[in-house]
Amino acid sequence: MADAPPVKKHKTNNFANKKGEESINWRKWKEQKKEEKRQRTESKINKQLEKQKQKQKEEEEDEEQLQQEKKERKGRSFTLSVALPGSVLDNAQSLELRTYLAGQIARACGVFCVDEVVVFDELGEDVKSIEGEFRGIGKKGQACVQLARILQYVECPQYLRKSFFPKHRDLQFAGLLNPLDSPHHMRLDEEAEFREGVVVNRPNKPGKGSYVNCGTQRDVQIDKELKAGLRVTVQFNNNSKHKGVVVAPHVPRTEGGLYWGYSVRLASCLGAVFTECPYKDGYDLTVGTSERGKNADHVTLRPFKHMLVVFGGLQGLEASVDADENLNVSDPSMLFDLYLNTCPGQGSRTIRTEEAILISLSGLRQKIAAVFPDQAKG
């Protein structure tokens, strides 16, 4: 009997098994590839997240460092005061020229960061307020009052002038003067940490403070309830442009290192410039200016907190000393720590007071900077 031919079915089963194994291997390979792709995607995402976290951490560290530097930043601790007689206006022949002369003095004080301007009466007429009106050109024209009023007007930010300076003959031509343009003279949309403002008569809930016009589009809410019409210095909160706190006028200078304008004080005589000093311990460095003084180029300033520079009028400081009955000295140099000639070798017989202010403060600026190298930049 012949052998039966081999059954093809067995061969077919082997092929099917092989095909099934290949299908399983292919499925595993695809799954493996998907897993590898998923791992690569996760790794890429993790790297991006890690990079973002690192960047965010660096930004937070930079912000903390910036805030720390801001806290540690020292402002300007010293003050600079200037005293001059109101009689300097008597040398002007018209109200327009008087106004322009006062504007020159205001600009000079603003450029050199003067913190206080003292207007004294070298004739001893006991002028202590700015009340009164201009009475005409000459010695009876209340030059001290007019000079003080114009100086205050120019120092005041433009958006506050209507609140503090009603129409007055002394200010008839003040609108033509060059602006002081100091840091506290803010524009409407200018962002700043500090602003000058006036408390407005706007009702508010008890305990919610007051509203202040700071020259912005909206009134600023402050933390204290104050009388309307009061001029205040406002420090804004970090997270709000419409809320702030009232601070002392010197804070922008002492903490922010900003020049924040000057105050104006009237003194009845030369002696009152010293005795009525607003600072607790008085002026610890006083400088008199005269062509008879020592050459300022050869002088070095010592450390100080409050410096006063005094200028004479048309007749010099000698006339102011003679008119003050309370001063028991005949030589003006006895009143000052330094008696300086800030323009030696002058080519003119006389130097006008407004010129002397520019010359003297320009020469003293470098000497002040040498005493306060980190603060004089403000």
Side-chain angles (χ1 to χ4, degrees):
M1 186 176 180
D3 294 335
V7 181
K8 293 182 179 181
K9 186 178 180 180
H10 180 71
K11 187 174 181 180
T12 304
N13 288 341
N14 290 338
F15 177 75
N17 292 338
K18 186 175 181 181
K19 187 176 181 180
E21 290 177 358
E22 290 178 357
S23 177
I24 294 172
N25 292 338
W26 177 253
R27 193 177 296 114
K28 289 182 179 179
W29 181 83
K30 287 180 67 176
E31 291 178 355
Q32 183 178 358
K33 291 297 181 182
K34 286 182 179 179
E35 180 66 21
E36 291 177 355
K37 185 177 179 181
R38 185 182 65 80
Q39 291 179 357
R40 287 196 301 269
T41 304
E42 288 183 355
S43 177
K44 186 177 180 180
I45 293 174
N46 291 334
K47 288 182 180 179
Q48 290 178 350
L49 291 174
E50 187 68 24
K51 191 175 181 180
Q52 290 179 358
K53 289 181 180 179
Q54 183 66 23
K55 185 178 179 180
Q56 185 177 0
K57 185 179 179 181
E58 291 177 355
E59 289 179 352
E60 290 177 354
E61 290 178 352
D62 292 341
E63 182 67 21
E64 290 179 1
Q65 184 177 358
L66 184 63
Q67 294 295 334
Q68 187 66 23
E69 290 178 355
K70 189 175 180 180
K71 291 180 180 179
E72 294 177 354
R73 181 181 59 183
K74 293 183 179 180
R76 180 164 60 90
S77 60
F78 67 91
T79 64
L80 176 62
S81 299
V82 164
L84 72 159
S87 61
V88 296
L89 295 188
D90 293 335
N91 200 32
Q93 287 76 31
S94 66
L95 180 57
E96 295 94 324
L97 292 176
R98 277 182 166 232
T99 304
Y100 182 73
L101 177 58
Q104 285 183 300
I105 295 172
R107 282 284 301 171
C109 293
V111 168
F112 290 101
C113 301
V114 173
D115 301 294
E116 180 194 26
V117 181
V118 187
V119 180
F120 65 90
D121 187 2
E122 63 179 355
L123 301 178
E125 294 181 351
D126 197 28
V127 177
K128 291 187 177 180
S129 72
I130 59 170
E131 299 298 327
E133 295 187 8
F134 173 64
R135 297 179 182 174
I137 305 301
K139 293 184 179 180
K140 299 299 182 181
Q142 288 190 334
C144 294
V145 176
Q146 186 184 17
L147 177 58
R149 183 178 282 113
I150 297 175
L151 290 175
Q152 287 181 330
Y153 178 86
V154 177
E155 187 275 337
C156 183
Q158 288 86 340
Y159 57 86
L160 297 180
R161 288 176 180 173
K162 287 185 179 180
S163 300
F164 297 108
F165 296 94
K167 188 176 180 180
H168 196 282
R169 188 179 178 185
D170 286 355
L171 303 174
Q172 181 178 352
F173 300 98
L176 302 177
L177 294 176
N178 295 321
L180 198 63
D181 203 21
S182 293
H184 66 301
H185 287 204
M186 301 289 181
R187 277 67 171 175
L188 178 64
D189 298 326
E190 187 175 355
E191 295 185 3
E193 183 180 359
F194 302 95
R195 268 184 179 268
E196 288 292 291
V198 57
V199 181
V200 296
N201 188 13
R202 177 177 169 181
N204 197 13
K205 296 180 180 180
K208 295 295 183 179
S210 306
Y211 286 96
V212 177
N213 174 19
C214 290
T216 55
Q217 294 180 349
R218 288 175 53 185
D219 291 339
V220 179
Q221 187 176 3
I222 58 175
D223 57 328
K224 295 181 179 179
E225 295 183 8
L226 301 175
K227 184 179 179 181
L230 184 66
R231 179 174 171 176
V232 294
T233 303
V234 178
Q235 183 176 15
F236 288 87
N237 297 334
N238 295 329
N239 301 325
S240 176
K241 298 180 181 179
H242 308 294
K243 289 186 178 181
V245 296
V246 177
V247 296
H250 65 78
V251 172
R253 170 181 60 84
T254 56
E255 295 185 7
L258 300 171
Y259 174 61
W260 212 244
Y262 54 77
S263 61
V264 179
R265 176 166 65 93
L266 280 168
S268 59
C269 57
L270 179 58
V273 174
F274 303 91
T275 58
E276 298 175 1
C277 175
Y279 306 113
K280 182 179 179 180
D281 298 325
Y283 303 108
D284 52 354
L285 180 59
T286 57
V287 178
T289 59
S290 173
E291 60 180 1
R292 300 174 181 83
K294 184 179 179 181
N295 190 338
D297 297 337
H298 305 151
V299 173
T300 302
L301 301 182
R302 57 177 171 79
F304 62 89
K305 291 183 180 180
H306 306 292
M307 179 178 178
L308 171 68
V309 184
V310 182
F311 298 91
L314 303 178
Q315 306 298 326
L317 284 174
E318 290 78 9
S320 301
V321 172
D322 295 338
D324 193 341
E325 299 178 355
N326 297 322
L327 297 177
N328 297 322
V329 296
S330 57
D331 186 1
S333 63
M334 301 297 293
L335 297 174
F336 305 98
D337 299 319
L338 297 172
Y339 199 57
L340 303 179
N341 180 3
T342 56
C343 187
Q346 63 193 57
S348 175
R349 292 187 180 91
T350 57
I351 295 180
R352 300 171 64 91
T353 303
E354 65 271 21
E355 298 169 341
I357 294 175
L358 287 170
I359 295 170
S360 301
L361 296 183
S362 178
L364 293 173
R365 183 187 62 84
Q366 294 183 348
K367 299 181 184 299
I368 295 174
V371 180
F372 303 96
D374 299 329
Q375 299 182 29
K377 297 178 181 179

